[in-house]
Amino acid sequence: MYDGTNYAGWQVQPTQITVQSSLEAAVEKLCGINTRVFGSGRTDAGVHAKGQVFHVDIPTKFNESKFVQGINSYLASDIRVCRAVIVKDDFDARFSARRKEYRYFISTADVADPEKRLYRYHLGADVDLEAMRKSASLLIGEHDFVSFAANRNQPEKTTVRTIYSLDVSKRGTDVCLKVSGNGFLYKMVRSLAGHLVEVGQGKRNLRDTKEILSAKKRTRLVVTAPAQGLFLWKVSY
Amino acid sequence: MYDGTNYAGWQVQPTQITVQSSLEAAVEKLCGINTRVFGSGRTDAGVHAKGQVFHVDIPTKFNESKFVQGINSYLASDIRVCRAVIVKDDFDARFSARRKEYRYFISTADVADPEKRLYRYHLGADVDLEAMRKSASLLIGEHDFVSFAANRNQPEKTTVRTIYSLDVSKRGTDVCLKVSGNGFLYKMVRSLAGHLVEVGQGKRNLRDTKEILSAKKRTRLVVTAPAQGLFLWKVSY
């Protein structure tokens, strides 16, 4: 689990503190070895995680609960390792992942609760959940999601992904988007969230969703929702 | 509402940023007048509030919703004014208060959730809720609570207070103490919480609670629970 507020994302950067570099520093302190920690995927600066998974090669003298206790003692309190499991040699946190779930939280409350300020996109107005659900249903399944992705330096082999489910729910004044799929493109979840929020506000409609998806081209019609509302929730193997 | 993490408590201090000084600065920017803001009571450094109330004298040209919007635009996002009401001249946020509710949150989870790290006392072990409830029931009613108070520079006229209710509940891995009374002494809620946690851990028992209360003297038998678990929840008038 991590609160991404104070990190320049998951991936090691030359001059900034990241979640990956923090974990590697903690592994080095605990195990005495300077080694790479491999995540299930990157998260952007400011994005949080409840269920990020990483693998690391360390000497077997560390049992699972001692590893958890030990590494947490070397981490800042905004990163916590919940569980460790000894895996087979061919396990890879990234390539063995079969399904990922992200959740995106939007606050519709008039006034943003200070306790949630780092973990919600504060919209401050109600949204049309039914309109959002209709647009969401168009996005489920196997599609080329390039219209909902941002360019990254390294181009993807394919921009086709499968979304297994995309639910829109509301609890109190919080709207939650739960999206589960076999993988996600760069900034894809935040782009889906940004678009669905605009649909919920009446700025876009079902026809726009259809057109954007079939255009297979990222344009300004899709906005990227802020990082702070996003959580990598679960990775399944 | 405020997240007390970054403030030296409610009350104005000569050299530190406090919630009161932040509100006064925002009132000055909004209304152009340098005036005192009067709270229902102080909160310590690191203590949060969902329902703190203050009164302030400002020109009547500000209607209620414009005041809320305006003052929030001058406050950092960890302080938010939820509501404003024009009151009679004899209303006083402190002296008109009839009942206050505090909530104290304890996490029993093995690993502390980063998202909650600033809003929970992370105990990391289970507690005996029934033992806590039995001790809590002894504390309800009108008592001299001096054994559960810390000394402040200005002594209180009386250390007798009435606790109307003191509930111990659990939701997931979070234990919540809800205490409602006609007023609370300095550090009283954190002292009650510290003692009840020790009862829950089996370090103290019902007889200790009885003896501590009847001793009418603060001793080392009572520990003060950390500030970060405490919220001033509601003030009733």
Side-chain angles (χ1 to χ4, degrees):
Chain A
M1 294 185 283
Y2 47 86
D3 174 339
T5 308
N6 298 320
Y7 296 91
W10 166 266
Q11 198 179 29
V12 165
Q13 300 288 341
T15 59
Q16 292 170 290
I17 295 176
T18 67
V19 178
Q20 191 183 29
S21 67
S22 302
L23 286 167
E24 289 176 357
V27 167
E28 185 166 1
K29 282 180 188 154
L30 179 65
C31 310
I33 47 167
N34 180 350
T35 189
R36 181 103 302 178
V37 149
F38 296 88
S40 73
R42 305 172 190 181
T43 52
D44 292 338
V47 172
H48 317 292
K50 293 286 182 192
Q52 173 68 294
V53 175
F54 67 88
H55 77 259
V56 62
D57 291 320
I58 55 162
T60 49
K61 66 178 175 181
F62 291 94
N63 78 23
E64 295 160 345
S65 76
K66 287 281 177 211
F67 177 79
V68 171
Q69 243 185 322
I71 196 164
N72 282 333
S73 74
Y74 290 116
L75 288 166
S77 62
D78 52 2
I79 305 181
R80 277 292 168 269
V81 172
C82 303
R83 209 157 64 94
V85 181
I86 293 167
V87 288
K88 290 187 184 162
D89 280 349
D90 64 353
F91 177 86
D92 184 289
R94 180 169 167 209
F95 295 106
S96 308
R98 295 176 52 224
R99 189 185 178 110
K100 277 188 186 176
E101 182 186 334
Y102 282 90
R103 296 193 183 181
Y104 194 93
F105 293 93
I106 300 141
S107 169
T108 66
D110 282 355
V111 176
D113 184 344
E115 190 182 342
K116 300 287 173 66
R117 72 191 185 285
L118 306 172
Y119 314 109
R120 298 287 181 272
Y121 168 27
H122 184 245
L123 200 63
D126 238 321
V127 286
D128 180 341
L129 297 177
E130 271 320 302
M132 292 171 76
R133 285 181 186 128
K134 279 180 191 154
S135 279
S137 71
L138 284 184
L139 300 164
I140 296 170
E142 186 181 270
H143 300 286
D144 183 339
F145 283 101
V146 67
S147 305
F148 292 97
N151 281 325
R152 190 144 56 178
N153 294 339
Q154 310 108 297
E156 303 277 354
K157 274 186 210 161
T158 167
T159 47
V160 173
R161 295 289 185 277
T162 301
I163 291 184
Y164 302 123
S165 63
L166 176 42
D167 298 328
V168 181
S169 60
K170 194 174 180 187
R171 191 171 165 173
T173 54
D174 281 342
V175 171
C176 177
L177 309 178
K178 291 183 202 175
V179 57
S180 157
N182 64 353
F184 294 89
L185 302 169
Y186 185 48
K187 295 205 175 160
M188 177 171 155
V189 181
R190 288 167 59 189
S191 301
L192 294 170
H195 175 66
L196 290 176
V197 165
E198 288 207 323
V199 169
Q201 292 175 310
K203 292 182 187 171
R204 303 279 172 214
N205 60 33
L206 192 63
R207 193 182 307 164
D208 295 321
T209 308
K210 207 174 287 185
E211 283 179 6
I212 289 165
L213 187 64
S214 61
K216 293 187 181 133
K217 198 182 150 201
R218 174 69 182 236
T219 69
R220 288 192 177 176
L221 290 175
V222 175
V223 297
T224 306
Q228 75 210 43
L230 184 59
F231 287 78
L232 171 55
W233 202 262
K234 195 182 176 184
V235 185
S236 308
Y237 291 91
Chain B
M1 295 186 281
Y2 47 85
D3 174 339
T5 308
N6 298 319
Y7 296 90
W10 167 267
Q11 198 178 30
V12 165
Q13 301 288 343
T15 59
Q16 292 170 292
I17 295 175
T18 68
V19 179
Q20 191 182 30
S21 67
S22 302
L23 286 167
E24 289 176 356
V27 167
E28 186 167 358
K29 281 180 190 155
L30 179 65
C31 309
I33 47 167
N34 180 351
T35 189
R36 180 105 298 178
V37 149
F38 297 88
S40 73
R42 304 172 191 181
T43 53
D44 292 339
V47 172
H48 317 292
K50 294 285 183 193
Q52 173 68 294
V53 175
F54 68 89
H55 77 258
V56 62
D57 291 320
I58 55 162
T60 51
K61 65 178 175 180
F62 291 93
N63 77 25
E64 295 160 343
S65 77
K66 286 282 177 211
F67 178 79
V68 171
Q69 241 185 323
I71 195 164
N72 283 333
S73 74
Y74 290 117
L75 288 166
S77 62
D78 51 3
I79 305 181
R80 277 291 167 270
V81 172
C82 303
R83 209 157 65 93
V85 181
I86 294 166
V87 288
K88 289 186 185 163
D89 280 349
D90 64 353
F91 176 86
D92 184 290
R94 180 169 166 208
F95 296 106
S96 309
R98 295 175 52 223
R99 188 186 178 111
K100 276 187 186 175
E101 181 186 335
Y102 282 90
R103 296 193 183 182
Y104 194 92
F105 293 92
I106 299 142
S107 169
T108 65
D110 282 356
V111 176
D113 185 343
E115 190 183 341
K116 300 287 174 65
R117 72 192 185 285
L118 307 172
Y119 313 108
R120 298 287 181 271
Y121 168 26
H122 184 244
L123 200 63
D126 238 321
V127 286
D128 181 341
L129 297 177
E130 272 319 303
M132 292 171 77
R133 286 183 185 127
K134 279 180 191 154
S135 278
S137 70
L138 284 183
L139 300 164
I140 296 169
E142 187 182 89
H143 300 285
D144 183 339
F145 283 101
V146 68
S147 305
F148 292 98
N151 281 326
R152 188 141 61 174
N153 294 340
Q154 310 108 296
E156 304 276 354
K157 274 184 210 160
T158 167
T159 48
V160 174
R161 295 290 184 278
T162 302
I163 290 185
Y164 302 124
S165 64
L166 176 42
D167 298 328
V168 181
S169 60
K170 194 174 180 187
R171 189 171 166 173
T173 53
D174 281 343
V175 172
C176 177
L177 310 177
K178 291 183 201 176
V179 58
S180 155
N182 64 353
F184 294 90
L185 302 169
Y186 185 48
K187 295 205 175 161
M188 176 170 155
V189 181
R190 287 167 58 189
S191 301
L192 293 169
H195 175 65
L196 290 176
V197 165
E198 288 207 324
V199 169
Q201 292 175 309
K203 293 181 187 172
R204 304 279 171 212
N205 60 32
L206 192 64
R207 193 182 306 163
D208 295 322
T209 309
K210 207 175 286 184
E211 284 180 5
I212 289 166
L213 187 64
S214 61
K216 293 191 180 127
K217 200 183 150 197
R218 174 70 183 237
T219 69
R220 288 193 179 177
L221 289 176
V222 176
V223 297
T224 305
Q228 76 210 42
L230 184 60
F231 287 79
L232 170 53
W233 202 262
K234 195 179 175 185
V235 186
S236 307
Y237 291 90

